Amino acid sequence: MYQSQTVIGRTLAAKDAALEDCIWPEDALHAIPDWVYTSAAVYEKEIEVIFHGKTWNYVALEAEVPNPGDYKRSYVGPTPVVVSRAEDGSINVFENRCAHRGAEFCRHSQGNAKEFVCPYHQWSYDLKGNLQGIPFKRGVNRIGGMPKDFRNEQHGLRKLRVTTRHGVVFASYSEETEPLEEYLTPEILADFDTVFPGKPLKVLGYYRNELPCNWKMYHENLKDPYHATLLHSFLVVFGLLVAGNKSAMLVDTVHGRHGTMASAKSEDKYAKVSDENKKEMRSFHDGLSLRDDRFLEFVKEFDSPWSVTMQTIWPNLIVQREMNTLGVRQIVPNGPDSMIMQWTMFGYEDDTPEMQRHRLRQGNLMGPAGFLGLEDNEAMKFVQEGVRRASTGVNVLKLESGKLGTSDSLISEAAIRSMYAYYRQVMGIPVGGAQ
Ligand SMILES: [Fe+2]
């Protein structure tokens, strides 16, 4: 008994590994060490080199800030920011942290303002984040106040670079991040532009939930078509994604960090699954049907061979096109063991009222309690609990062994492998640790 406690103690320490102890297992393509999900030191480095590094982070849709003065609270990694439309029409992103004493000054999730005023000492900022006013700057009766050489322009909010494409707003801490189109790479950009062709978007609603798991698990989940055919009863029973459907797990060819899980729904309303395949799928149930068939209607509206494209855009964006339900999901990491997911569901301004109702109805697939979202949330929680508490230390990644990049098979882990090959490089993690 005492011996096993010692083993557990040692294992838990390894899960909170210091960076210098983080050496990827020797068989790097086929193993993921637990500490990528549990170590606080790894998490801090991810914030520095990934979210605050050379990346474009999704922060808002332009449709959320259409007019001068419109603003939205958002996040880059875990860092709170404000997205603000200034009088000149420009979109600005700055940290939601008063330059004076650090208060998160913007408290409303969305709104319209002429200026931003910190509630603590009422320092005020314009819509571009410049400091414009300080109460009692010259003191009272010339006693107290700021030093004479204090310059407002040296004490504005920390501003981020901003770029937009077809109504989607991204921000970056780095001056070196390449132009967005180059960042996304051609094959990812093509499916992105299918969902965002440049016509005005209409926001239909929001969900927000906390997931008790590491933020990278969400990327993995959407680079893991294997689970989709097994975990999700709804997908397989109603034929949305069945092993054998036309499908692909696309990976960007430049870095391997972005992906698109793509599939084409079978023509039949309900899946035709061979008896042999059924045996492999415990989540398949014969004889189920929907009371309201309209739920699964697919109105073909895009010039695309796919009825579903789920895009993972590094590091914090999911672009969801599941038949006619469209959305963006923003990953907000919240420590190694937690993330916040912010879902924004949308359609287009030119949708007919029927199409808008259809998108809202089909939107029940998604969200924290959606017919598809629900099971992923649970599965990722189970994984976090497992890697945090158990003693094994390494996860196995051997489907389509050795392969990196795009795969036509759903029974593959090549896209996850590609993401971690990129991750090791950007994090500077050496390979060669014991298995
Ligand atoms: Fe899933």
Side-chain angles (χ1 to χ4, degrees):
M1 185 179 136
Y2 289 111
Q3 193 183 5
S4 83
Q5 278 187 344
T6 310
V7 170
I8 288 169
R10 197 169 61 227
T11 306
L12 290 182
K15 287 173 196 299
D16 201 20
L19 272 180
E20 54 273 25
D21 297 327
C22 291
I23 299 168
W24 209 276
E26 183 69 52
D27 187 12
L29 289 182
H30 304 113
I32 305 174
D34 282 358
W35 45 254
V36 304
Y37 307 114
T38 58
S39 161
V42 168
Y43 175 78
E44 291 303 325
K45 177 128 194 215
E46 289 170 350
I47 305 307
E48 180 195 333
V49 303
I50 297 173
F51 295 101
H52 290 186
K54 271 179 60 177
T55 53
W56 284 115
N57 294 260
Y58 167 81
V59 287
L61 297 175
E62 280 200 64
E64 297 177 292
V65 286
N67 304 308
D70 287 348
Y71 68 86
K72 182 198 170 187
R73 269 173 93 176
S74 188
Y75 295 86
V76 171
T79 309
V81 299
V82 178
V83 182
S84 153
R85 175 90 68 177
E87 295 88 346
D88 62 3
S90 65
I91 296 180
N92 303 270
V93 178
F94 38 80
E95 282 192 358
N96 190 359
R97 178 193 197 280
C98 182
H100 177 213
R101 299 295 299 280
E104 202 175 320
F105 57 88
C106 179
R107 308 305 307 173
H108 298 286
S109 55
Q110 275 179 335
N112 185 278
K114 291 199 163 32
E115 60 180 356
F116 295 98
V117 182
C118 178
Y120 198 179
H121 306 92
Q122 285 100 54
W123 285 33
S124 64
Y125 302 92
D126 68 16
L127 297 171
K128 295 186 173 183
N130 301 307
L131 177 60
Q132 45 176 31
I134 297 177
F136 299 119
K137 191 173 179 183
R138 296 287 161 244
V140 174
N141 300 329
R142 309 221 168 228
I143 300 171
M146 283 293 184
K148 279 206 170 57
D149 62 354
F150 183 92
R151 296 281 170 269
N152 281 12
E153 46 286 3
Q154 291 169 358
H155 294 271
L157 301 170
R158 178 150 187 202
K159 298 169 187 172
L160 281 71
R161 280 177 73 203
V162 180
T163 193
T164 63
R165 183 169 178 88
H166 297 173
V168 189
V169 186
F170 295 84
S172 180
Y173 273 93
S174 171
E175 289 302 319
E176 293 169 19
T177 316
E178 60 268 43
L180 182 71
E181 289 69 20
E182 195 183 315
Y183 180 81
L184 290 179
T185 74
E187 55 272 72
I188 300 299
L189 190 61
D191 286 311
F192 181 91
D193 282 353
T194 300
V195 177
F196 301 108
K199 60 181 182 174
L201 306 178
K202 182 174 183 182
V203 173
L204 299 181
Y206 297 97
Y207 305 106
R208 183 161 61 174
N209 61 308
E210 183 186 353
L211 283 105
C213 70
N214 185 273
W215 66 275
K216 297 184 293 300
M217 284 184 197
Y218 213 96
H219 284 269
E220 290 181 34
N221 180 262
L222 288 171
K223 292 176 188 292
D224 169 17
Y226 180 47
H227 94 277
T229 65
L230 297 167
L231 174 71
H232 296 297
S233 289
F234 200 94
L235 277 184
V236 294
V237 171
F238 299 112
L240 297 181
L241 183 72
V242 180
N245 276 16
K246 178 177 154 57
S247 59
M249 184 64 240
L250 301 158
V251 174
D252 86 75
T253 52
V254 179
H255 297 286
R257 58 190 173 185
H258 313 304
T260 304
M261 192 192 291
S263 62
K265 184 183 175 327
S266 60
E267 295 297 316
D268 309 301
K269 192 180 284 174
Y270 297 112
K272 287 201 180 71
V273 179
S274 70
D275 287 340
E276 187 194 338
N277 282 348
K278 273 184 203 171
K279 274 191 224 139
E280 304 274 346
M281 294 154 53
R282 288 164 195 265
S283 53
F284 187 87
H285 304 283
D286 267 318
L288 291 181
S289 62
L290 290 170
R291 288 268 176 86
D292 186 348
D293 273 345
R294 295 174 304 173
F295 186 74
L296 283 185
E297 270 169 23
F298 174 43
V299 181
K300 188 156 170 35
E301 59 178 324
F302 301 110
D303 181 18
S304 165
W306 310 115
S307 53
V308 177
T309 54
M310 296 297 233
Q311 296 201 281
T312 38
I313 295 176
W314 188 259
N316 77 333
L317 174 62
I318 313 299
V319 179
Q320 159 211 317
R321 171 165 83 83
E322 175 86 35
M323 297 192 288
N324 302 112
T325 175
L326 309 176
V328 285
R329 303 179 201 166
Q330 181 180 9
I331 293 170
V332 182
N334 181 37
D337 294 328
S338 166
M339 56 168 277
I340 311 294
M341 180 56 85
Q342 315 227 63
W343 312 61
T344 306
M345 309 294 278
F346 63 87
Y348 305 106
E349 281 288 353
D350 66 2
D351 282 346
T352 62
E354 292 74 28
M355 188 59 165
Q356 187 174 313
R357 267 198 299 279
H358 176 54
R359 290 197 205 283
L360 286 166
R361 192 185 301 122
Q362 207 162 62
N364 286 298
L365 284 168
M366 299 301 170
F371 297 140
L372 300 183
L374 184 74
E375 293 143 339
D376 291 318
N377 296 347
E378 286 292 296
M380 287 182 263
K381 177 176 119 184
F382 296 164
V383 176
Q384 191 72 31
E385 286 179 356
V387 298
R388 199 161 62 84
R389 294 176 176 167
S391 62
T392 307
V394 169
N395 302 283
V396 175
L397 209 60
K398 289 200 173 173
L399 294 174
E400 266 203 323
S401 171
K403 185 175 173 62
L404 291 153
T406 293
S407 174
D408 291 334
S409 171
L410 294 174
I411 315 303
S412 174
E413 288 163 341
I416 302 175
R417 212 170 277 136
S418 297
M419 181 182 95
Y420 278 111
Y422 170 72
Y423 175 86
R424 280 193 294 277
Q425 177 204 328
V426 74
M427 290 283 287
I429 296 174
V431 172
Q435 190 79 11

